[in-house]
Amino acid sequence: MATDTLTKPVIDGSIPKTKVFKNFIDGEWVESACGQTFEDRNPADTREVVATFQRSNKEDVDAAVDAAKAAFAKWRLVPAPRRAEMVFRAAEILIDRKEDHARDMTREMGKVLAETRGDVQEAIDAAYYNAGEGRRLFGPTVPSELPNKFAMAVRQPIGVCGMITPWNFPMAISSWKLLPAVVCGNTCVIKPAQDTPLSTFNLVRALTDAGIPKGVINVVTGYGPEAGTPLLEHTAVRAISFTGSSAVGKIIGTTSAKTFKHCSLELGGKNPMIVLDDANLELAIEGGLWGAFGTTGQRCTATSRIIVQKGVYRKFIDQFVARAKKIKVGNGLDETVEMGPAVNENQLKTDLKYIEIGKDEGAKMVTGGNRLDKGDYQHGWFLEPTVFIDVDPKMRIAQEEIFGPVVSIIPCDDLEDAIAIANGIEYGLSSSLYTKDVNKAFSAVRDLEAGITYINAPTIGAEVHLPFGGTKATGNGHREGGIGAIDFYTEWKSVYVDYSDKLQKAQIDRAE
Ligand code: NAD
């Protein structure tokens, strides 16, 4: 594979049109140690190679970690407000480049332009939010139990942070990790998903153009076991932030534990949307369609189960299915298209496998189920929006994450029954309830086992300044977004200053 064209950071705001990307280590563009590359193809038309990336291994990761370690010595001492100003500038740069980056993203992973614009916007929002945090990074100052003694806690950076990301929000998720990390004074090595490195490079380019010094952010591309594992095992990496499947998350968690790394896991979901008899049905149908088929169902927060109370069950299904049939599937670069392809052949195969499982389990498939591969669809990984009804909550299609445009509709008796069904899964990411009854709404907020609950909105639509993440098999208790990320990327140091000029013994010297 030719690797003669380089993509370099640009300072004039133009986007290089070159197609071969090298690893970005210590501010330099370098080939992988093994000299191999891999292709990133457009899932809507696999004849198009969007770009070629380095297939990296331990040697490349080691070089990136060395660079990050060296850069940390200086970066940690740059005042946080100054670090944050660079992140603020990156937001302004991203605004200028938003359309180009959205188009790159649609080409590399298929979601429609309106959504890829939203993905870039999320990185912009995260940049503004985290830039603001640079002037806060609050810690507690508390009264001491002893006289003439001062007590406070300050946030300190952790050191080198490793990041491993999925492909479905390729710029947004990279931004959730990189931006708080650098504002807090850490340095980073990121390994983006092999389907979507371009969007991570676009973000990193904005950050370097905004003044983030060399070595602070390093990008190493490649496959999980080859390029991800060395990051998990490296003793100089002090924190790992991973977003991806629960199966891989388990490996990440156990491997990171061996070297006592901080480890944040944001994993899968099987998100329920409950529709009660008193709901605004039109609103619930619109929300359900957006939640189930937005991003081709490839969101960790996708509405993959819709639990509908019996009084409106048939009416909901009739209207929901009629609307699902009309969704326009196609190449996301066409502004009239509502749903793009699956990200790759494997994901399409998984979707089709679960459709067969659903049929075998006895769920009723009322629309969809077929791969689209004729005419304009012939070179892509397209699937019809698929709806199963009368699904038993214990069926595999109602329990396991499919990550495709396949939704299960489940009948329920009342709110209590709905919540039991909603909670009866291993995951706990997002959840939603449609009702006009405020008492039911607040009961659901209290009782749904999930990191996020929406009322009168589908299970998708998180904003960057609130904690994002889930319970149970969706994670290990950390949160991205908002102050949760600042908590993850800092360590507390408690500071006691005794100005009494004598030895004072805590818990022992008590004036009775
Ligand atoms: P994935 O788990 O297959 O891969 C995620 C990343 O891990 C990729 O970069 C991959 O290269 C890397 N990886 C794979 N095996 C590895 C290993 N052994 N060691 C180190 N790294 C390894 O997930 P995906 O297909 O990219 O993304 C889809 C999944 O991500 C879904 O389960 C979805 O729910 C989840 N997701 C979760 C959130 C969240 O915030 N909770 C957000 C988006 C996606």
Side-chain angles (χ1 to χ4, degrees), residues 164-168 173 191-194 223-225 228-229 232 242-245 248 251-252 266-269 300 401 403 429 468:
I164 300 178
T165 56
W167 46 264
N168 64 338
I173 291 179
K191 193 217 73 73
Q194 55 273 21
Y223 297 99
T229 307
L232 304 175
F242 172 80
T243 302
S245 60
V248 175
I251 300 171
I252 306 283
E266 298 294 342
L267 311 174
C300 51
E401 185 180 50
F403 224 55
L429 182 48
F468 182 92

PDB file of all heavy atoms in Angstrom, residues 164-168 173 191-194 223-225 228-229 232 242-245 248 251-252 266-269 300 401 403 429 468, ligand 1:
ATOM      1  N   ILE A 164      -9.856   4.256  23.984  1.00  0.00           N
ATOM      2  CA  ILE A 164     -10.244   3.320  22.917  1.00  0.00           C
ATOM      3  C   ILE A 164     -11.715   3.591  22.615  1.00  0.00           C
ATOM      4  O   ILE A 164     -12.554   3.564  23.516  1.00  0.00           O
ATOM      5  CB  ILE A 164     -10.012   1.857  23.355  1.00  0.00           C
ATOM      6  CG1 ILE A 164      -8.519   1.644  23.672  1.00  0.00           C
ATOM      7  CG2 ILE A 164     -10.484   0.889  22.288  1.00  0.00           C
ATOM      8  CD1 ILE A 164      -8.169   0.248  24.172  1.00  0.00           C
ATOM      9  N   THR A 165     -12.011   3.863  21.348  1.00  0.00           N
ATOM     10  CA  THR A 165     -13.360   4.352  21.024  1.00  0.00           C
ATOM     11  C   THR A 165     -14.082   3.444  20.023  1.00  0.00           C
ATOM     12  O   THR A 165     -13.443   2.709  19.270  1.00  0.00           O
ATOM     13  CB  THR A 165     -13.278   5.768  20.404  1.00  0.00           C
ATOM     14  OG1 THR A 165     -12.424   5.710  19.254  1.00  0.00           O
ATOM     15  CG2 THR A 165     -12.728   6.769  21.387  1.00  0.00           C
ATOM     16  N   PRO A 166     -15.420   3.548  19.980  1.00  0.00           N
ATOM     17  CA  PRO A 166     -16.208   2.826  18.982  1.00  0.00           C
ATOM     18  C   PRO A 166     -16.416   3.714  17.750  1.00  0.00           C
ATOM     19  O   PRO A 166     -15.982   4.865  17.731  1.00  0.00           O
ATOM     20  CB  PRO A 166     -17.522   2.583  19.707  1.00  0.00           C
ATOM     21  CG  PRO A 166     -17.692   3.819  20.533  1.00  0.00           C
ATOM     22  CD  PRO A 166     -16.302   4.293  20.912  1.00  0.00           C
ATOM     23  N   TRP A 167     -17.144   3.184  16.772  1.00  0.00           N
ATOM     24  CA  TRP A 167     -17.277   3.892  15.483  1.00  0.00           C
ATOM     25  C   TRP A 167     -18.566   4.692  15.366  1.00  0.00           C
ATOM     26  O   TRP A 167     -18.734   5.451  14.426  1.00  0.00           O
ATOM     27  CB  TRP A 167     -17.223   2.879  14.336  1.00  0.00           C
ATOM     28  CG  TRP A 167     -18.095   1.673  14.597  1.00  0.00           C
ATOM     29  CD1 TRP A 167     -17.686   0.475  15.115  1.00  0.00           C
ATOM     30  CD2 TRP A 167     -19.507   1.566  14.419  1.00  0.00           C
ATOM     31  NE1 TRP A 167     -18.762  -0.371  15.263  1.00  0.00           N
ATOM     32  CE2 TRP A 167     -19.889   0.268  14.841  1.00  0.00           C
ATOM     33  CE3 TRP A 167     -20.486   2.429  13.929  1.00  0.00           C
ATOM     34  CZ2 TRP A 167     -21.210  -0.170  14.793  1.00  0.00           C
ATOM     35  CZ3 TRP A 167     -21.808   2.001  13.893  1.00  0.00           C
ATOM     36  CH2 TRP A 167     -22.157   0.703  14.321  1.00  0.00           C
ATOM     37  N   ASN A 168     -19.511   4.532  16.302  1.00  0.00           N
ATOM     38  CA  ASN A 168     -20.852   5.071  16.005  1.00  0.00           C
ATOM     39  C   ASN A 168     -20.981   6.578  16.243  1.00  0.00           C
ATOM     40  O   ASN A 168     -21.782   7.245  15.607  1.00  0.00           O
ATOM     41  CB  ASN A 168     -21.933   4.280  16.750  1.00  0.00           C
ATOM     42  CG  ASN A 168     -21.817   4.395  18.236  1.00  0.00           C
ATOM     43  OD1 ASN A 168     -20.757   4.704  18.783  1.00  0.00           O
ATOM     44  ND2 ASN A 168     -22.913   4.150  18.922  1.00  0.00           N
ATOM     45  N   ILE A 173     -17.552  10.957  20.651  1.00  0.00           N
ATOM     46  CA  ILE A 173     -17.000  10.142  21.746  1.00  0.00           C
ATOM     47  C   ILE A 173     -15.513  10.434  21.939  1.00  0.00           C
ATOM     48  O   ILE A 173     -15.030  10.515  23.072  1.00  0.00           O
ATOM     49  CB  ILE A 173     -17.305   8.644  21.527  1.00  0.00           C
ATOM     50  CG1 ILE A 173     -18.809   8.420  21.701  1.00  0.00           C
ATOM     51  CG2 ILE A 173     -16.514   7.763  22.499  1.00  0.00           C
ATOM     52  CD1 ILE A 173     -19.302   7.002  21.489  1.00  0.00           C
ATOM     53  N   LYS A 191      -6.717   5.323  20.504  1.00  0.00           N
ATOM     54  CA  LYS A 191      -6.832   4.351  19.416  1.00  0.00           C
ATOM     55  C   LYS A 191      -8.287   4.353  18.974  1.00  0.00           C
ATOM     56  O   LYS A 191      -9.165   3.803  19.620  1.00  0.00           O
ATOM     57  CB  LYS A 191      -6.435   2.938  19.865  1.00  0.00           C
ATOM     58  CG  LYS A 191      -6.249   2.047  18.645  1.00  0.00           C
ATOM     59  CD  LYS A 191      -6.720   0.617  18.809  1.00  0.00           C
ATOM     60  CE  LYS A 191      -8.179   0.341  18.824  1.00  0.00           C
ATOM     61  NZ  LYS A 191      -8.898   0.448  17.542  1.00  0.00           N
ATOM     62  N   PRO A 192      -8.570   5.018  17.847  1.00  0.00           N
ATOM     63  CA  PRO A 192      -9.968   5.067  17.405  1.00  0.00           C
ATOM     64  C   PRO A 192     -10.411   3.739  16.803  1.00  0.00           C
ATOM     65  O   PRO A 192      -9.581   2.913  16.424  1.00  0.00           O
ATOM     66  CB  PRO A 192      -9.953   6.162  16.327  1.00  0.00           C
ATOM     67  CG  PRO A 192      -8.535   6.297  15.881  1.00  0.00           C
ATOM     68  CD  PRO A 192      -7.646   5.763  16.975  1.00  0.00           C
ATOM     69  N   ALA A 193     -11.722   3.554  16.687  1.00  0.00           N
ATOM     70  CA  ALA A 193     -12.258   2.342  16.055  1.00  0.00           C
ATOM     71  C   ALA A 193     -11.716   2.234  14.637  1.00  0.00           C
ATOM     72  O   ALA A 193     -11.539   3.237  13.948  1.00  0.00           O
ATOM     73  CB  ALA A 193     -13.774   2.404  16.032  1.00  0.00           C
ATOM     74  N   GLN A 194     -11.493   1.015  14.196  1.00  0.00           N
ATOM     75  CA  GLN A 194     -10.873   0.823  12.876  1.00  0.00           C
ATOM     76  C   GLN A 194     -11.791   1.255  11.738  1.00  0.00           C
ATOM     77  O   GLN A 194     -11.326   1.519  10.630  1.00  0.00           O
ATOM     78  CB  GLN A 194     -10.411  -0.634  12.691  1.00  0.00           C
ATOM     79  CG  GLN A 194     -11.462  -1.700  12.904  1.00  0.00           C
ATOM     80  CD  GLN A 194     -11.564  -2.110  14.383  1.00  0.00           C
ATOM     81  OE1 GLN A 194     -11.166  -1.386  15.292  1.00  0.00           O
ATOM     82  NE2 GLN A 194     -12.127  -3.290  14.607  1.00  0.00           N
ATOM     83  N   TYR A 223      -6.242  -2.294  14.851  1.00  0.00           N
ATOM     84  CA  TYR A 223      -7.252  -3.211  15.380  1.00  0.00           C
ATOM     85  C   TYR A 223      -7.099  -3.385  16.890  1.00  0.00           C
ATOM     86  O   TYR A 223      -6.007  -3.228  17.441  1.00  0.00           O
ATOM     87  CB  TYR A 223      -7.139  -4.558  14.675  1.00  0.00           C
ATOM     88  CG  TYR A 223      -7.423  -4.443  13.187  1.00  0.00           C
ATOM     89  CD1 TYR A 223      -6.384  -4.365  12.267  1.00  0.00           C
ATOM     90  CD2 TYR A 223      -8.725  -4.362  12.724  1.00  0.00           C
ATOM     91  CE1 TYR A 223      -6.649  -4.238  10.909  1.00  0.00           C
ATOM     92  CE2 TYR A 223      -9.001  -4.238  11.374  1.00  0.00           C
ATOM     93  CZ  TYR A 223      -7.956  -4.172  10.464  1.00  0.00           C
ATOM     94  OH  TYR A 223      -8.223  -4.040   9.129  1.00  0.00           O
ATOM     95  N   GLY A 224      -8.207  -3.748  17.517  1.00  0.00           N
ATOM     96  CA  GLY A 224      -8.240  -3.824  18.973  1.00  0.00           C
ATOM     97  C   GLY A 224      -7.139  -4.666  19.597  1.00  0.00           C
ATOM     98  O   GLY A 224      -6.317  -4.162  20.366  1.00  0.00           O
ATOM     99  N   PRO A 225      -7.091  -5.963  19.270  1.00  0.00           N
ATOM    100  CA  PRO A 225      -6.091  -6.805  19.946  1.00  0.00           C
ATOM    101  C   PRO A 225      -4.653  -6.361  19.647  1.00  0.00           C
ATOM    102  O   PRO A 225      -3.779  -6.493  20.486  1.00  0.00           O
ATOM    103  CB  PRO A 225      -6.372  -8.195  19.365  1.00  0.00           C
ATOM    104  CG  PRO A 225      -7.805  -8.136  18.926  1.00  0.00           C
ATOM    105  CD  PRO A 225      -8.038  -6.737  18.461  1.00  0.00           C
ATOM    106  N   GLY A 228      -4.884  -1.995  20.611  1.00  0.00           N
ATOM    107  CA  GLY A 228      -5.556  -1.639  21.863  1.00  0.00           C
ATOM    108  C   GLY A 228      -4.914  -2.317  23.064  1.00  0.00           C
ATOM    109  O   GLY A 228      -4.631  -1.678  24.085  1.00  0.00           O
ATOM    110  N   THR A 229      -4.635  -3.610  22.935  1.00  0.00           N
ATOM    111  CA  THR A 229      -4.090  -4.370  24.065  1.00  0.00           C
ATOM    112  C   THR A 229      -2.786  -3.775  24.615  1.00  0.00           C
ATOM    113  O   THR A 229      -2.650  -3.642  25.839  1.00  0.00           O
ATOM    114  CB  THR A 229      -3.897  -5.859  23.670  1.00  0.00           C
ATOM    115  OG1 THR A 229      -5.133  -6.325  23.144  1.00  0.00           O
ATOM    116  CG2 THR A 229      -3.514  -6.707  24.861  1.00  0.00           C
ATOM    117  N   LEU A 232      -3.521  -1.107  26.974  1.00  0.00           N
ATOM    118  CA  LEU A 232      -4.076  -1.581  28.250  1.00  0.00           C
ATOM    119  C   LEU A 232      -2.984  -2.125  29.166  1.00  0.00           C
ATOM    120  O   LEU A 232      -3.096  -2.058  30.383  1.00  0.00           O
ATOM    121  CB  LEU A 232      -5.053  -2.737  28.022  1.00  0.00           C
ATOM    122  CG  LEU A 232      -6.221  -2.515  27.083  1.00  0.00           C
ATOM    123  CD1 LEU A 232      -6.990  -3.805  26.913  1.00  0.00           C
ATOM    124  CD2 LEU A 232      -7.113  -1.433  27.660  1.00  0.00           C
ATOM    125  N   PHE A 242     -12.668   3.591  27.937  1.00  0.00           N
ATOM    126  CA  PHE A 242     -13.122   2.721  26.841  1.00  0.00           C
ATOM    127  C   PHE A 242     -14.612   2.914  26.614  1.00  0.00           C
ATOM    128  O   PHE A 242     -15.406   2.918  27.554  1.00  0.00           O
ATOM    129  CB  PHE A 242     -12.857   1.249  27.203  1.00  0.00           C
ATOM    130  CG  PHE A 242     -13.479   0.278  26.221  1.00  0.00           C
ATOM    131  CD1 PHE A 242     -12.858  -0.004  25.014  1.00  0.00           C
ATOM    132  CD2 PHE A 242     -14.690  -0.345  26.503  1.00  0.00           C
ATOM    133  CE1 PHE A 242     -13.432  -0.887  24.100  1.00  0.00           C
ATOM    134  CE2 PHE A 242     -15.275  -1.229  25.599  1.00  0.00           C
ATOM    135  CZ  PHE A 242     -14.633  -1.506  24.398  1.00  0.00           C
ATOM    136  N   THR A 243     -14.997   3.031  25.357  1.00  0.00           N
ATOM    137  CA  THR A 243     -16.405   2.956  24.982  1.00  0.00           C
ATOM    138  C   THR A 243     -16.518   1.900  23.901  1.00  0.00           C
ATOM    139  O   THR A 243     -15.778   1.942  22.907  1.00  0.00           O
ATOM    140  CB  THR A 243     -16.928   4.307  24.459  1.00  0.00           C
ATOM    141  OG1 THR A 243     -16.731   5.287  25.470  1.00  0.00           O
ATOM    142  CG2 THR A 243     -18.417   4.236  24.145  1.00  0.00           C
ATOM    143  N   GLY A 244     -17.431   0.969  24.096  1.00  0.00           N
ATOM    144  CA  GLY A 244     -17.604  -0.106  23.119  1.00  0.00           C
ATOM    145  C   GLY A 244     -18.524  -1.170  23.683  1.00  0.00           C
ATOM    146  O   GLY A 244     -19.332  -0.907  24.585  1.00  0.00           O
ATOM    147  N   SER A 245     -18.392  -2.373  23.179  1.00  0.00           N
ATOM    148  CA  SER A 245     -19.313  -3.440  23.574  1.00  0.00           C
ATOM    149  C   SER A 245     -18.993  -3.970  24.980  1.00  0.00           C
ATOM    150  O   SER A 245     -17.853  -3.863  25.450  1.00  0.00           O
ATOM    151  CB  SER A 245     -19.208  -4.596  22.569  1.00  0.00           C
ATOM    152  OG  SER A 245     -17.879  -5.085  22.559  1.00  0.00           O
ATOM    153  N   VAL A 248     -16.128  -6.700  24.927  1.00  0.00           N
ATOM    154  CA  VAL A 248     -14.754  -6.180  24.923  1.00  0.00           C
ATOM    155  C   VAL A 248     -14.484  -5.416  26.227  1.00  0.00           C
ATOM    156  O   VAL A 248     -13.388  -5.495  26.790  1.00  0.00           O
ATOM    157  CB  VAL A 248     -14.502  -5.296  23.677  1.00  0.00           C
ATOM    158  CG1 VAL A 248     -13.114  -4.658  23.741  1.00  0.00           C
ATOM    159  CG2 VAL A 248     -14.638  -6.111  22.399  1.00  0.00           C
ATOM    160  N   ILE A 251     -12.916  -7.440  28.884  1.00  0.00           N
ATOM    161  CA  ILE A 251     -11.468  -7.668  28.682  1.00  0.00           C
ATOM    162  C   ILE A 251     -10.692  -6.419  29.107  1.00  0.00           C
ATOM    163  O   ILE A 251      -9.661  -6.499  29.776  1.00  0.00           O
ATOM    164  CB  ILE A 251     -11.159  -7.957  27.182  1.00  0.00           C
ATOM    165  CG1 ILE A 251     -11.896  -9.197  26.713  1.00  0.00           C
ATOM    166  CG2 ILE A 251      -9.655  -8.068  26.947  1.00  0.00           C
ATOM    167  CD1 ILE A 251     -11.827  -9.425  25.197  1.00  0.00           C
ATOM    168  N   ILE A 252     -11.216  -5.266  28.726  1.00  0.00           N
ATOM    169  CA  ILE A 252     -10.530  -4.001  29.035  1.00  0.00           C
ATOM    170  C   ILE A 252     -10.416  -3.843  30.560  1.00  0.00           C
ATOM    171  O   ILE A 252      -9.360  -3.508  31.089  1.00  0.00           O
ATOM    172  CB  ILE A 252     -11.310  -2.781  28.460  1.00  0.00           C
ATOM    173  CG1 ILE A 252     -11.569  -2.934  26.962  1.00  0.00           C
ATOM    174  CG2 ILE A 252     -10.638  -1.457  28.816  1.00  0.00           C
ATOM    175  CD1 ILE A 252     -10.453  -2.682  26.031  1.00  0.00           C
ATOM    176  N   GLU A 266     -17.770   2.432  29.186  1.00  0.00           N
ATOM    177  CA  GLU A 266     -19.104   2.830  28.707  1.00  0.00           C
ATOM    178  C   GLU A 266     -19.514   1.796  27.674  1.00  0.00           C
ATOM    179  O   GLU A 266     -18.971   1.769  26.570  1.00  0.00           O
ATOM    180  CB  GLU A 266     -19.062   4.230  28.079  1.00  0.00           C
ATOM    181  CG  GLU A 266     -18.667   5.332  29.024  1.00  0.00           C
ATOM    182  CD  GLU A 266     -19.674   5.566  30.140  1.00  0.00           C
ATOM    183  OE1 GLU A 266     -20.829   5.117  30.008  1.00  0.00           O
ATOM    184  OE2 GLU A 266     -19.295   6.171  31.141  1.00  0.00           O
ATOM    185  N   LEU A 267     -20.506   0.961  28.009  1.00  0.00           N
ATOM    186  CA  LEU A 267     -20.730  -0.242  27.204  1.00  0.00           C
ATOM    187  C   LEU A 267     -22.120  -0.278  26.566  1.00  0.00           C
ATOM    188  O   LEU A 267     -22.710   0.757  26.305  1.00  0.00           O
ATOM    189  CB  LEU A 267     -20.446  -1.466  28.087  1.00  0.00           C
ATOM    190  CG  LEU A 267     -19.113  -1.389  28.845  1.00  0.00           C
ATOM    191  CD1 LEU A 267     -18.941  -2.544  29.806  1.00  0.00           C
ATOM    192  CD2 LEU A 267     -17.936  -1.301  27.881  1.00  0.00           C
ATOM    193  N   GLY A 268     -22.613  -1.464  26.337  1.00  0.00           N
ATOM    194  CA  GLY A 268     -23.825  -1.622  25.537  1.00  0.00           C
ATOM    195  C   GLY A 268     -25.124  -1.252  26.243  1.00  0.00           C
ATOM    196  O   GLY A 268     -25.147  -0.935  27.432  1.00  0.00           O
ATOM    197  N   GLY A 269     -26.209  -1.336  25.476  1.00  0.00           N
ATOM    198  CA  GLY A 269     -27.527  -1.023  26.034  1.00  0.00           C
ATOM    199  C   GLY A 269     -28.626  -1.807  25.332  1.00  0.00           C
ATOM    200  O   GLY A 269     -28.417  -2.377  24.255  1.00  0.00           O
ATOM    201  N   CYS A 300     -25.673   3.322  21.237  1.00  0.00           N
ATOM    202  CA  CYS A 300     -25.730   2.583  22.500  1.00  0.00           C
ATOM    203  C   CYS A 300     -27.054   2.887  23.203  1.00  0.00           C
ATOM    204  O   CYS A 300     -27.560   2.072  23.958  1.00  0.00           O
ATOM    205  CB  CYS A 300     -24.557   2.959  23.385  1.00  0.00           C
ATOM    206  SG  CYS A 300     -24.362   4.732  23.570  1.00  0.00           S
ATOM    207  N   GLU A 401     -28.238  -6.946  22.853  1.00  0.00           N
ATOM    208  CA  GLU A 401     -28.026  -5.758  22.016  1.00  0.00           C
ATOM    209  C   GLU A 401     -27.799  -6.202  20.567  1.00  0.00           C
ATOM    210  O   GLU A 401     -26.911  -7.004  20.293  1.00  0.00           O
ATOM    211  CB  GLU A 401     -26.809  -4.975  22.511  1.00  0.00           C
ATOM    212  CG  GLU A 401     -26.631  -3.675  21.763  1.00  0.00           C
ATOM    213  CD  GLU A 401     -25.409  -2.880  22.239  1.00  0.00           C
ATOM    214  OE1 GLU A 401     -24.320  -3.466  22.325  1.00  0.00           O
ATOM    215  OE2 GLU A 401     -25.563  -1.675  22.501  1.00  0.00           O
ATOM    216  N   PHE A 403     -27.838  -3.729  17.859  1.00  0.00           N
ATOM    217  CA  PHE A 403     -27.101  -2.591  17.296  1.00  0.00           C
ATOM    218  C   PHE A 403     -27.438  -2.385  15.819  1.00  0.00           C
ATOM    219  O   PHE A 403     -26.583  -2.080  14.995  1.00  0.00           O
ATOM    220  CB  PHE A 403     -25.595  -2.764  17.489  1.00  0.00           C
ATOM    221  CG  PHE A 403     -24.937  -1.486  17.945  1.00  0.00           C
ATOM    222  CD1 PHE A 403     -25.373  -0.838  19.070  1.00  0.00           C
ATOM    223  CD2 PHE A 403     -23.883  -0.936  17.233  1.00  0.00           C
ATOM    224  CE1 PHE A 403     -24.786   0.346  19.495  1.00  0.00           C
ATOM    225  CE2 PHE A 403     -23.283   0.253  17.646  1.00  0.00           C
ATOM    226  CZ  PHE A 403     -23.736   0.877  18.777  1.00  0.00           C
ATOM    227  N   LEU A 429     -28.507   1.414  30.443  1.00  0.00           N
ATOM    228  CA  LEU A 429     -28.011   2.690  29.914  1.00  0.00           C
ATOM    229  C   LEU A 429     -29.114   3.745  29.904  1.00  0.00           C
ATOM    230  O   LEU A 429     -29.195   4.584  30.782  1.00  0.00           O
ATOM    231  CB  LEU A 429     -27.404   2.493  28.523  1.00  0.00           C
ATOM    232  CG  LEU A 429     -26.802   3.737  27.854  1.00  0.00           C
ATOM    233  CD1 LEU A 429     -25.891   4.504  28.784  1.00  0.00           C
ATOM    234  CD2 LEU A 429     -26.050   3.362  26.584  1.00  0.00           C
ATOM    235  N   PHE A 468     -23.045  11.067  31.499  1.00  0.00           N
ATOM    236  CA  PHE A 468     -23.526  10.100  30.506  1.00  0.00           C
ATOM    237  C   PHE A 468     -22.932   8.733  30.825  1.00  0.00           C
ATOM    238  O   PHE A 468     -21.712   8.582  30.932  1.00  0.00           O
ATOM    239  CB  PHE A 468     -23.110  10.515  29.096  1.00  0.00           C
ATOM    240  CG  PHE A 468     -23.616   9.575  28.040  1.00  0.00           C
ATOM    241  CD1 PHE A 468     -24.829   9.815  27.416  1.00  0.00           C
ATOM    242  CD2 PHE A 468     -22.905   8.441  27.705  1.00  0.00           C
ATOM    243  CE1 PHE A 468     -25.318   8.924  26.463  1.00  0.00           C
ATOM    244  CE2 PHE A 468     -23.390   7.543  26.755  1.00  0.00           C
ATOM    245  CZ  PHE A 468     -24.591   7.794  26.131  1.00  0.00           C
TER     246      PHE A 468
HETATM  247  P1  NAD B   1     -16.242  -2.920  20.062  1.00  0.00           P
HETATM  248  O1  NAD B   1     -16.291  -3.281  21.494  1.00  0.00           O
HETATM  249  O2  NAD B   1     -16.205  -4.010  19.067  1.00  0.00           O
HETATM  250  O3  NAD B   1     -14.939  -2.025  19.771  1.00  0.00           O
HETATM  251  C1  NAD B   1     -14.711  -0.830  20.471  1.00  0.00           C
HETATM  252  C2  NAD B   1     -13.229  -0.506  20.406  1.00  0.00           C
HETATM  253  O4  NAD B   1     -12.505  -1.506  21.111  1.00  0.00           O
HETATM  254  C3  NAD B   1     -12.642  -0.460  19.004  1.00  0.00           C
HETATM  255  O5  NAD B   1     -11.719   0.603  18.920  1.00  0.00           O
HETATM  256  C4  NAD B   1     -11.917  -1.793  18.902  1.00  0.00           C
HETATM  257  O6  NAD B   1     -10.826  -1.774  17.998  1.00  0.00           O
HETATM  258  C5  NAD B   1     -11.422  -1.974  20.320  1.00  0.00           C
HETATM  259  N1  NAD B   1     -11.132  -3.354  20.715  1.00  0.00           N
HETATM  260  C6  NAD B   1     -11.749  -4.479  20.294  1.00  0.00           C
HETATM  261  N2  NAD B   1     -11.200  -5.551  20.894  1.00  0.00           N
HETATM  262  C7  NAD B   1     -10.227  -5.104  21.715  1.00  0.00           C
HETATM  263  C8  NAD B   1      -9.304  -5.728  22.603  1.00  0.00           C
HETATM  264  N3  NAD B   1      -9.290  -7.042  22.756  1.00  0.00           N
HETATM  265  N4  NAD B   1      -8.448  -4.946  23.283  1.00  0.00           N
HETATM  266  C9  NAD B   1      -8.469  -3.600  23.145  1.00  0.00           C
HETATM  267  N5  NAD B   1      -9.317  -2.953  22.310  1.00  0.00           N
HETATM  268  C10 NAD B   1     -10.193  -3.693  21.607  1.00  0.00           C
HETATM  269  O7  NAD B   1     -17.480  -1.933  19.816  1.00  0.00           O
HETATM  270  P2  NAD B   1     -17.943  -1.208  18.473  1.00  0.00           P
HETATM  271  O8  NAD B   1     -18.510  -2.234  17.543  1.00  0.00           O
HETATM  272  O9  NAD B   1     -16.883  -0.324  17.958  1.00  0.00           O
HETATM  273  O10 NAD B   1     -19.119  -0.275  19.023  1.00  0.00           O
HETATM  274  C11 NAD B   1     -20.388  -0.750  19.302  1.00  0.00           C
HETATM  275  C12 NAD B   1     -20.567  -1.003  20.783  1.00  0.00           C
HETATM  276  O11 NAD B   1     -20.224   0.173  21.507  1.00  0.00           O
HETATM  277  C13 NAD B   1     -22.004  -1.293  21.155  1.00  0.00           C
HETATM  278  O12 NAD B   1     -22.034  -2.329  22.101  1.00  0.00           O
HETATM  279  C14 NAD B   1     -22.480   0.005  21.785  1.00  0.00           C
HETATM  280  O13 NAD B   1     -23.554  -0.132  22.678  1.00  0.00           O
HETATM  281  C15 NAD B   1     -21.250   0.481  22.448  1.00  0.00           C
HETATM  282  N6  NAD B   1     -21.300   1.930  22.700  1.00  0.00           N
HETATM  283  C16 NAD B   1     -21.455   2.344  23.992  1.00  0.00           C
HETATM  284  C17 NAD B   1     -21.563   3.701  24.270  1.00  0.00           C
HETATM  285  C18 NAD B   1     -21.730   4.198  25.682  1.00  0.00           C
HETATM  286  O14 NAD B   1     -21.397   5.352  25.936  1.00  0.00           O
HETATM  287  N7  NAD B   1     -22.222   3.394  26.601  1.00  0.00           N
HETATM  288  C19 NAD B   1     -21.492   4.622  23.223  1.00  0.00           C
HETATM  289  C20 NAD B   1     -21.323   4.151  21.925  1.00  0.00           C
HETATM  290  C21 NAD B   1     -21.216   2.795  21.668  1.00  0.00           C
END
